[in-house]
Amino acid sequence: MAHGDITHIDIPVSDTARATEFYGAVFGWQIAEMPGFEGYPMWQAPNKISGGGLAPRSDDFTTPRSYVEVDSIEETLATVRELGGRVVTEKSEISPTSWWAAFEDADGNQIGLYEGTTGAG
């Protein structure tokens, strides 16, 4: 069964340094690259709960994408396919204990999926 909580939001950017300065000044976000995730600065809101990343913009990633936590990415993607959605990115490892994927609904909205825990302990 899906958790359904939004856990992360990626914002596609073409210049991470410019975006880091911009979003830090506009919202007061703490933005930094984490070891192992170079080129993908992650942001945390002042509430220390909300967060996400400044992801490289590409032809197929041009609008912000929210990630929803699920118990099983495989089961969720199977349901997406059954209901006419399109898988954009198959299940991919973030760390040994966490994974992500993305799909597109019938209206062209992309939603990310997250399974697992971010920390390995």
Side-chain angles (χ1 to χ4, degrees):
M1 176 183 283
H3 293 298
D5 291 335
I6 294 176
T7 60
H8 191 88
I9 300 171
D10 273 339
I11 300 171
V13 300
S14 56
D15 183 328
T16 55
R18 180 182 66 205
T20 297
E21 182 178 333
F22 178 82
Y23 286 108
V26 170
F27 296 124
W29 291 350
Q30 297 297 311
I31 304 171
E33 288 186 356
M34 307 298 279
F37 296 96
E38 290 76 14
Y40 176 67
M42 291 188 220
W43 59 271
Q44 184 173 48
N47 67 11
K48 305 294 185 201
I49 298 169
S50 303
L54 301 177
R57 178 179 289 275
S58 64
D59 289 343
D60 61 348
F61 183 51
T62 60
T63 60
R65 179 188 297 147
S66 296
Y67 288 79
V68 178
E69 185 172 0
V70 298
D71 289 330
S72 170
I73 286 177
E74 290 93 345
E75 290 176 14
T76 304
L77 291 180
T79 302
V80 164
R81 287 180 175 105
E82 288 171 15
L83 297 175
R86 180 179 74 85
V87 174
V88 175
T89 305
E90 294 287 347
K91 183 177 180 179
S92 301
E93 184 177 289
I94 298 169
S95 74
T97 61
S98 59
W99 303 265
W100 75 281
F103 69 88
E104 188 173 273
D105 69 12
D107 288 311
N109 299 302
Q110 284 194 17
I111 304 293
L113 301 173
Y114 171 81
E115 176 187 338
T117 59
T118 303

